[in-house]
């Protein structure tokens, strides 16, 4: 199964003040030693080529992504690649680009070629992680999205990923609220998995929603973002529930920001805070304790945060 921690705010949000390799190593070492059953760390460095960043005064982004991937691999862990092109979300000064599917397929092809020398078979390709119809002030990077548009794009992207990176599993995103309402149509049946974000903060609500998804789609489930973002103190209880519930998980808050973070201190000297310590019993359980093995999946369906 996947037991992952997400480092987004130390990756995607810091292109103008990047952690050094030494600081990345301290972070990865802390997570690996604190959570001995950890299998992956999620990496969300934007995936544009360096040339795209020149007008914005940002440099060496591609090497920054490689630094994360290489250090995670060096410590025996896999990577979930959750990057996105900046113009798909309108971040780092890039205006949102709605040129359509072929534009992003062409750029993804270049990205897959660039990373093929650094990924290994434990890594999972999950680019465009926030591909929801309601994201970014209603502007979706595919333009006017309807189910067939979405299915066509991600089917082609999956095929492209499998061609370029045949040893890596590819995961597809969507919005859980749309999935639950039927908007996503055949996505779970087509791709074989139900994958969601969940931030309700209630163990009862989490289990109820997972039960509902299991009954509706009868597919393996990956909670690919979950966290105690409202300082509700539920980490320990949620982790305890996951000990016996057959899902794979990526914990969203692997940083030191605000109420949600599981770390204290700063780059190069992070320690686990109380929230991070509450997760230790779960991340210490051997991965053989639970099934299914989402590593074998070829799709993901995500929720609205």
């Amino acid at each position: 199964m996947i037991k992952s921690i997400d480092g987004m705010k130390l990756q995607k949000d810091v292109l103008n003040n990047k952690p050094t390799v030494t600081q990345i190593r301290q972070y990865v070492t802390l997570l690996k030693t604190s959570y001995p059953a950890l299998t992956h760390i999620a990496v969300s460095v934007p995936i544009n080529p360096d040339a795209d960043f020149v007008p914005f005064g940002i440099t060496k982004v591609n090497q920054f992504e490689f630094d994360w991937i290489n250090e995670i691999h060096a410590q025996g862990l896999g990577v979930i690649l959750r990057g996105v092109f900046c113009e798909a979300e309108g971040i780092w000064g890039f205006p949102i680009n709605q040129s359509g599917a072929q534009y992003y397929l062409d750029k993804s092809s270049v990205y897959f070629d660039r990373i093929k020398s650094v990924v290994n078979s434990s890594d999972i390709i999950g680019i465009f992680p926030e591909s929801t119809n309601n994201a970014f002030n209603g502007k979706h990077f595919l333009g006017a999205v309807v189910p067939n548009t979405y299915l066509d794009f991600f089917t082609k992207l999956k095929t492209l990923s499998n061609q370029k990176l045949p040893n890596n599993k590819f995961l597809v995103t969507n919005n859980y609220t749309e999935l639950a309402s039927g908007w996503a149509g055949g996505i779970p049946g087509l791709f074989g998995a139900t994958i969601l974000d969940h931030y309700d903060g209630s163990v009862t609500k989490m289990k109820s929603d997972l039960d509902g998804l299991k009954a509706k789609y009868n597919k393996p489930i990956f909670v690919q973002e979950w966290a105690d973002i409202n300082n509700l103190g539920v980490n320990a209880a949620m982790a305890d529930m996951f000990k016996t519930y057959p899902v794979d998980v990526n914990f969203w808050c692997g940083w030191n920001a605000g109420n949600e973070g599981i770390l204290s201190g700063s780059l190069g000297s992070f320690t686990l805070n109380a929230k991070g310590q509450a997760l230790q019993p779960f991340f210490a359980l051997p991965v053989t304790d639970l099934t299914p093995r989402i590593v074998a999946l070829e799709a993901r369906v995500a929720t609205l945060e």
Side-chain angles (χ1 to χ4, degrees), residues 51-222:
D52 285 3
F53 291 97
V54 171
F56 305 99
I58 299 170
T59 62
K60 300 180 179 179
V61 175
N62 299 161
Q63 185 58 53
F64 182 49
E65 182 182 35
F66 285 9
D67 289 343
W68 275 99
I69 294 170
N70 290 335
E71 186 56 43
I72 293 167
H73 287 165
Q75 299 207 35
L77 300 172
V79 179
I80 303 177
L81 288 160
R82 303 186 72 233
V84 69
F85 297 106
C86 293
E87 63 268 36
E89 296 186 358
I91 57 175
W92 289 105
F94 289 66
I96 290 180
N97 187 313
Q98 295 180 291
S99 295
Q102 194 58 51
Y103 172 87
Y104 287 104
L105 289 170
D106 291 344
K107 295 201 76 167
S108 296
S109 180
V110 173
Y111 172 66
F112 294 152
D113 284 338
R114 186 171 71 243
I115 65 170
K116 66 172 57 174
S117 64
V118 294
V119 296
N120 68 33
S121 60
S122 68
D123 299 334
I124 299 168
I125 311 301
I127 61 175
F128 297 97
E130 300 291 352
S131 179
T132 74
N133 199 34
N134 298 322
F136 319 118
N137 297 316
K139 293 183 178 181
H140 195 288
F141 67 90
L142 293 178
V145 177
V146 296
N148 287 344
T149 305
Y150 183 91
L151 286 167
D152 181 67
F153 173 74
F154 279 101
T155 299
K156 290 177 178 176
L157 187 63
K158 172 180 175 286
T159 298
L160 180 63
S161 177
N162 289 346
Q163 290 171 345
K164 297 279 187 175
L165 304 168
N167 295 320
N168 299 101
K169 295 302 178 183
F170 178 79
L171 305 176
V172 177
T173 64
N174 188 38
N175 181 300
Y176 167 56
T177 57
E178 293 159 351
L179 170 66
S181 69
W183 181 90
I187 287 176
L190 177 64
F191 291 113
T194 304
I195 302 180
L196 65 146
D197 303 359
H198 202 293
Y199 293 99
D200 181 83
S202 160
V203 175
T204 301
K205 174 66 171 166
M206 172 74 86
K207 189 173 185 307
S208 173
D209 287 348
L210 295 180
D211 287 342
L213 287 171
K214 182 175 177 59
K216 183 170 184 176
Y217 297 108
N218 193 30
K219 304 291 181 180
I221 296 173
F222 179 19

Side-chain angles (χ1 to χ4, degrees), residues 221-233:
I221 296 173
F222 179 19
V223 185
Q224 60 94 30
E225 289 184 20
W226 70 280
D228 175 8
I229 62 172
N230 296 313
N231 202 26
L232 300 176

Side-chain angles (χ1 to χ4, degrees), residues 13-25:
D13 289 5
V14 293
L15 299 187
N16 55 357
N17 187 26
K18 305 176 192 70
T20 66
V21 172
T22 299
Q23 290 169 333
I24 293 171
R25 181 171 301 127

Side-chain angles (χ1 to χ4, degrees), residues 283-299:
F283 280 103
L285 282 176
V287 297
T288 53
D289 282 9
L290 292 179
T291 57
R293 303 294 179 259
I294 304 296
V295 163
L297 296 180
E298 296 180 346

